[in-house]
Amino acid sequence: MYNPETKKLKFNENGKFKILMISDFHAQGNFNGVGRARFRHKMIKGIELLLNETKPDFVMLGGDQCISSGDDMPQISKEEDMNLAYEALKEIMAPVNERGIPWAFVNGNHDEERCLSKEELFPVYKKFPLCLAEKGPEDIYGVGNYVLPVYSSKNESIAYNIFALDSNNNTKEYLREFGIKEEDDNIVLPRPFCRRSGQAMPFFNQVMWYYNTSRETEIKEGRKIPAILCMHNPCIEFNHIVRNPEETKMIGDSRDSMGYSELNSGLFFACLERGDVKGIFCGHEHLNNFQGKYCGITLAYDSCVGFDMTAHDDLRGGRLIELDENNGSFETRHITFMSLMGDEAIRDPERTFFDYETNLGKQNYNIRFIHMD
C-alpha cells in the first residue's frame, strides 16, 4: 500500500507488504534497438507478468541497471547520454510506473562502468515521481545508502525498515581510499576466498551508518524495528549457504561462483549485533537464485531479468518478499519467467539453451552445480 500524497509505504489491512525485487537489466546500448539491447521486449514482458503474478506494493531494482550508453555507442555528450538513459529507464519501468507502484534501486558493480557516473545517473532516476531512492549521506562512501520505512497498518509508527546500501564496484576503490599502491596490491592474494575476487562491498562507514540508523530508529520508536537489507554484491557469508546446503536449509540453484569482497567490512556481524535485519538480498550473479538461513538471517539471491547478457533461461526472473507486520517475519521465493511465459522465456530458440555468446554453459563451469528443493 502506498500513499502518493505523503510518499509513505504502508502495510495493508491484513498486515502484509509485498516487495518484488528485479535485478541486472544490463540495458547497455540502450533503447530502440541500438547497441546490444536486442531482447528488451522480452524483459519488459517478463516484468509485466511478474507484476501481474505478485501484485507488489513496492519494487526494488537490485543493481546493474547499466542504463547509460557504452563504449560500443557513438561519442555523445553527457546531456545526450542522460537523455538516452532516461528514455531507456522510462521504457523498462513503464509496467511499474503505469501501475502506480513505488520503486527504488541500489547500484551494482557495472553501473559506473558506462559513460555516466552513479552521481550523474542519480537525478535521472529521480525524474520519476515513484522513485523513492535517496542519494544518502554525503559523508559516507557510495551513492544510494538509505532506509525506507514501512508504516503500520494500525497507526503512524514504523513497522519495518528496508535498508539499501551501495555495495560499490571493485577493489580499485579500496586501493584509492586506503592509500595502497596498485603495484603493492595485497588485497587479492594468490589463493583468494572468491574466484571472482575483484569485487567490493559496502565500506565500514556505510556499515556504521546502517548500525547507527538502526539504533536511532529503535530509540525513537521505543522498540527494535525488523528490517531487510538490499544491495547488489553478496557478502562473504552467502558462501556458507552453498557449502552447507542442508544445515542452512538451502533452496534454489547455485550455478555460478559468488563475487564478493576479499575484505570483510563487518556488515553481517553488524546485522547480527543489531538484531533487526531478518534477510539480506542481492543480485549480481545471474545464475544463482538460491536462499538459505545462516545465524537466523536469510541470505537470498535474486537472479536477473535481462536477456542481453549471460544468463540461463530457466533461472531468469524476480524475487518476491512478503513482509508480515504481525510478527516481524517475512516469506520469500524466486519466480522465473519460464514459469509465467513458458518457452517464450527462452532468449533465442535458435541457439542452444545454455550456450550463449560467451560459451558459458554447464559443461564449461569449474564449479559444483547445486539445486536444492
Side-chain angles (χ1 to χ4, degrees):
M1 184 183 297
Y2 176 65
N3 186 333
E5 295 181 2
T6 62
K7 289 198 170 184
K8 279 187 177 181
L9 304 176
K10 195 176 182 70
F11 281 90
N12 67 20
E13 61 274 10
N14 297 318
K16 304 291 186 181
F17 186 86
K18 291 195 289 186
I19 301 167
L20 176 64
M21 186 175 185
I22 51 177
S23 305
D24 293 81
F25 296 164
H26 285 273
Q28 61 266 38
N30 281 325
F31 69 118
N32 293 338
V34 178
R36 289 176 283 170
R38 292 173 293 162
F39 296 94
R40 183 174 293 171
H41 62 287
K42 284 197 172 190
M43 179 177 71
I44 294 173
K45 181 172 182 179
I47 291 171
E48 283 188 301
L49 293 175
L50 278 174
L51 294 171
N52 292 341
E53 174 73 14
T54 61
K55 296 178 174 56
D57 301 295
F58 175 73
V59 173
M60 174 62 80
L61 310 186
D64 278 3
Q65 286 78 240
C66 295
I67 56 171
S68 77
S69 63
D71 296 335
D72 54 347
M73 294 281 286
Q75 288 295 317
I76 58 177
S77 68
K78 284 192 180 293
E79 183 179 359
E80 290 173 312
D81 204 6
M82 291 179 76
N83 289 335
L84 280 174
Y86 173 79
E87 293 298 331
L89 195 58
K90 179 181 177 182
E91 181 185 359
I92 294 167
M93 293 300 291
V96 179
N97 290 321
E98 289 168 0
R99 288 166 173 79
I101 303 171
W103 55 276
F105 70 96
V106 293
N107 281 305
N109 59 300
H110 288 295
D111 283 316
E112 202 165 47
E113 293 179 356
R114 316 309 298 173
C115 297
L116 298 174
S117 69
K118 290 183 290 189
E119 288 82 0
E120 291 167 327
L121 275 170
F122 190 83
V124 175
Y125 288 95
K126 293 302 287 183
K127 286 184 177 181
F128 296 91
L130 290 169
C131 178
L132 305 185
E134 299 173 10
K135 194 172 183 180
E138 295 289 341
D139 59 344
I140 68 172
Y141 204 83
V143 177
N145 303 295
Y146 57 92
V147 59
L148 298 176
V150 185
Y151 289 88
S152 170
S153 61
K154 305 175 181 66
N155 50 50
E156 292 302 305
S157 65
I158 299 173
Y160 232 103
N161 276 324
I162 303 170
F163 281 96
L165 289 178
D166 183 357
S167 56
N168 304 307
N169 299 354
N170 53 55
T171 55
K172 289 183 178 180
E173 293 174 283
Y174 296 163
L175 302 180
R176 182 175 64 249
E177 292 299 310
F178 303 153
I180 303 172
K181 295 180 180 179
E182 192 160 357
E183 59 268 24
D184 297 329
D185 178 11
N186 58 359
I187 293 175
V188 180
L189 297 171
R191 297 179 63 188
F193 289 115
C194 172
R195 182 172 69 87
R196 299 169 61 194
S197 52
Q199 305 301 306
M201 273 293 292
F203 277 58
F204 183 64
N205 62 11
Q206 295 173 266
V207 177
M208 289 176 60
W209 171 82
Y210 147 71
Y211 188 96
N212 291 332
T213 302
S214 168
R215 188 171 178 273
E216 289 164 6
T217 305
E218 179 181 5
I219 293 171
K220 181 180 178 181
E221 294 292 321
R223 68 190 191 286
K224 198 178 294 290
I225 306 300
I228 62 168
L229 189 151
C230 300
M231 58 185 179
H232 182 68
N233 293 347
C235 52
I236 194 171
E237 287 80 7
F238 272 69
N239 208 22
H240 291 307
I241 308 301
V242 173
R243 295 171 73 91
N244 307 274
E246 294 183 4
E247 292 81 357
T248 59
K249 296 181 172 55
M250 172 183 163
I251 60 174
D253 284 86
S254 171
R255 299 182 185 175
D256 197 358
S257 60
M258 283 164 272
Y260 47 76
S261 170
E262 290 292 293
L263 288 180
N264 191 338
S265 59
L267 175 62
F268 188 84
F269 200 101
C271 292
L272 277 181
E273 186 172 321
R274 282 298 306 140
D276 59 342
V277 170
K278 308 299 181 184
I280 300 176
F281 300 89
C282 69
H284 193 43
E285 263 76 57
H286 310 160
L287 310 186
N288 293 339
N289 69 354
F290 67 81
Q291 66 187 71
K293 187 172 285 190
Y294 177 59
C295 294
I297 297 178
T298 295
L299 304 175
Y301 265 106
D302 179 34
S303 186
C304 65
V305 292
F307 282 80
D308 291 288
M309 74 294 182
T310 300
H312 287 177
D313 294 320
D314 61 331
L315 296 190
R316 190 181 287 108
R319 177 167 288 277
L320 176 65
I321 308 162
E322 186 168 11
L323 308 180
D324 191 330
E325 175 188 6
N326 302 306
N327 56 21
S329 66
F330 69 84
E331 294 182 358
T332 184
R333 61 189 174 97
H334 198 264
I335 303 169
T336 65
F337 282 177
M338 190 159 282
S339 68
L340 304 176
M341 300 169 66
D343 288 348
E344 193 177 353
I346 297 175
R347 178 180 186 262
D348 188 346
E350 296 183 1
R351 301 180 73 88
T352 58
F353 188 74
F354 289 108
D355 190 15
Y356 296 151
E357 279 99 340
T358 56
N359 294 316
L360 200 56
K362 283 188 176 181
Q363 69 277 12
N364 294 320
Y365 274 102
N366 187 26
I367 61 169
R368 268 193 315 159
F369 274 73
I370 297 178
H371 172 77
M372 298 290 288
D373 293 321

